[in-house]
Coordinates of all heavy atoms in Angstrom, one line a residue:
V1 N -3.1 12.6 4.9 CA -2.8 11.2 5.3 C -3.8 10.3 4.6 O -5.0 10.6 4.5 CB -2.9 11.1 6.8 CG1 -1.7 11.8 7.5 CG2 -4.2 11.5 7.4
C2 N -3.3 9.2 4.2 CA -4.2 8.3 3.3 C -5.4 7.8 4.1 O -6.4 7.6 3.5 CB -3.3 7.1 2.8 SG -2.6 6.1 4.1
V3 N -5.2 7.5 5.4 CA -6.3 6.9 6.2 C -7.6 7.8 6.2 O -8.7 7.2 6.4 CB -5.9 6.5 7.6 CG1 -4.8 5.5 7.5 CG2 -5.5 7.7 8.4
H4 N -7.4 9.1 6.0 CA -8.6 9.9 6.1 C -9.0 10.5 4.7 O -9.7 11.5 4.6 CB -8.4 11.1 7.1 CG -8.4 10.6 8.5 ND1 -9.4 9.7 9.0 CD2 -7.5 10.8 9.5 CE1 -9.1 9.4 10.3 NE2 -8.0 10.1 10.6
G5 N -8.4 9.9 3.6 CA -8.8 10.3 2.3 C -10.0 9.5 1.8 O -10.3 8.4 2.4
E6 N -10.7 10.0 0.8 CA -11.9 9.3 0.3 C -11.5 8.0 -0.4 O -12.3 7.0 -0.3 CB -12.7 10.2 -0.6 CG -14.0 9.7 -1.1 CD -14.8 10.7 -1.9 OE1 -14.3 11.8 -2.1 OE2 -15.9 10.3 -2.4
V7 N -10.4 8.0 -1.1 CA -10.0 6.8 -1.8 C -8.5 6.6 -1.4 O -7.8 7.4 -0.9 CB -10.1 6.9 -3.3 CG1 -11.5 7.1 -3.7 CG2 -9.3 8.1 -3.9
C8 N -8.0 5.4 -1.7 CA -6.6 5.1 -1.5 C -6.1 4.3 -2.7 O -6.7 4.3 -3.8 CB -6.4 4.3 -0.2 SG -7.3 2.7 -0.1
G9 N -5.0 3.6 -2.5 CA -4.5 2.7 -3.6 C -3.3 3.2 -4.4 O -2.8 2.5 -5.2
K10 N -2.9 4.5 -4.2 CA -1.7 5.0 -4.9 C -0.5 5.0 -4.0 O 0.5 5.6 -4.3 CB -2.0 6.4 -5.4 CG -2.9 6.5 -6.6 CD -2.9 7.8 -7.2 CE -3.7 7.9 -8.4 NZ -3.7 9.2 -9.1
G11 N -0.6 4.2 -2.9 CA 0.6 4.0 -2.1 C 0.9 2.5 -1.9 O 0.3 1.9 -1.1
V12 N 1.7 2.0 -2.8 CA 1.9 0.5 -2.8 C 3.2 0.2 -2.1 O 4.1 1.0 -1.8 CB 2.0 0.0 -4.3 CG1 0.7 0.3 -5.0 CG2 3.1 0.6 -5.1
A13 N 3.3 -1.1 -1.8 CA 4.5 -1.6 -1.1 C 5.3 -2.5 -2.1 O 4.7 -3.3 -2.8 CB 4.2 -2.4 0.1
V14 N 6.6 -2.4 -2.1 CA 7.5 -3.2 -2.9 C 8.4 -4.0 -2.0 O 9.2 -3.3 -1.2 CB 8.3 -2.5 -4.0 CG1 9.3 -3.4 -4.6 CG2 7.3 -1.9 -5.0
E15 N 8.3 -5.3 -2.0 CA 9.2 -6.1 -1.1 C 10.6 -6.3 -1.7 O 10.9 -6.0 -2.8 CB 8.5 -7.5 -0.9 CG 7.8 -7.6 0.5 CD 8.8 -7.7 1.6 OE1 10.0 -8.0 1.3 OE2 8.4 -7.6 2.8
H16 N 11.4 -7.0 -0.9 CA 12.8 -7.2 -1.3 C 13.0 -8.0 -2.6 O 14.0 -7.8 -3.3 CB 13.6 -7.9 -0.1 CG 13.1 -9.3 0.0 ND1 13.8 -10.4 -0.6 CD2 12.1 -9.9 0.8 CE1 13.2 -11.5 -0.2 NE2 12.2 -11.3 0.6
D17 N 12.0 -8.8 -2.9 CA 12.1 -9.7 -4.1 C 11.5 -9.0 -5.3 O 11.5 -9.6 -6.4 CB 11.4 -11.0 -3.9 CG 9.9 -10.9 -3.6 OD1 9.4 -9.7 -3.4 OD2 9.2 -11.9 -3.7
G18 N 11.1 -7.7 -5.2 CA 10.5 -7.0 -6.3 C 9.0 -7.1 -6.4 O 8.4 -6.5 -7.3
S19 N 8.3 -7.9 -5.5 CA 6.9 -8.1 -5.5 C 6.2 -6.8 -5.0 O 6.6 -6.2 -4.0 CB 6.4 -9.2 -4.7 OG 6.9 -10.5 -5.2
A20 N 5.2 -6.4 -5.7 CA 4.4 -5.2 -5.4 C 3.1 -5.6 -4.8 O 2.4 -6.5 -5.3 CB 4.2 -4.3 -6.6
Y21 N 2.6 -4.9 -3.7 CA 1.4 -5.2 -3.0 C 0.5 -3.9 -2.9 O 1.1 -2.8 -3.0 CB 1.7 -5.8 -1.7 CG 2.4 -7.1 -1.7 CD1 3.8 -7.2 -1.8 CD2 1.7 -8.3 -1.6 CE1 4.4 -8.4 -1.8 CE2 2.3 -9.5 -1.6 CZ 3.7 -9.5 -1.7 OH 4.4 -10.8 -1.7
S22 N -0.7 -4.1 -2.7 CA -1.7 -3.0 -2.7 C -1.4 -1.9 -1.7 O -1.6 -0.7 -1.9 CB -3.1 -3.5 -2.5 OG -3.5 -4.3 -3.6
C23 N -0.8 -2.3 -0.6 CA -0.4 -1.4 0.5 C 0.5 -2.1 1.5 O 0.5 -3.4 1.4 CB -1.7 -0.9 1.2 SG -1.5 0.0 2.8
D24 N 1.2 -1.4 2.3 CA 2.1 -2.2 3.2 C 1.4 -2.9 4.3 O 1.9 -3.8 5.0 CB 3.3 -1.3 3.7 CG 2.9 -0.3 4.7 OD1 1.7 0.2 4.7 OD2 3.7 0.0 5.6
H25 N 0.1 -2.5 4.5 CA -0.8 -3.2 5.4 C -1.5 -4.4 4.8 O -2.3 -5.1 5.4 CB -1.8 -2.3 6.1 CG -1.1 -1.5 7.2 ND1 -0.8 -2.0 8.4 CD2 -0.8 -0.2 7.2 CE1 -0.3 -1.0 9.2 NE2 -0.3 0.1 8.5
F26 N -1.3 -4.5 3.5 CA -1.9 -5.6 2.7 C -0.9 -6.5 2.0 O -1.1 -6.9 0.9 CB -2.9 -5.0 1.7 CG -4.1 -4.4 2.3 CD1 -4.1 -3.2 3.0 CD2 -5.4 -5.1 2.2 CE1 -5.3 -2.7 3.5 CE2 -6.5 -4.6 2.7 CZ -6.5 -3.4 3.4

């Protein structure tokens, strides 16, 4: 699970308009 990994950032969110964000909580 990402929350207990040493690093993150390889799980991004893409919204309906095609915009990509660093994470779905960001």
Side-chain angles (χ1 to χ4, degrees):
V1 293
C2 61
V3 296
H4 293 311
E6 185 175 359
V7 297
C8 60
K10 286 191 176 181
V12 300
V14 171
E15 259 285 348
H16 69 93
D17 64 346
S19 295
Y21 296 84
S22 293
C23 170
D24 74 330
H25 284 286
F26 287 76

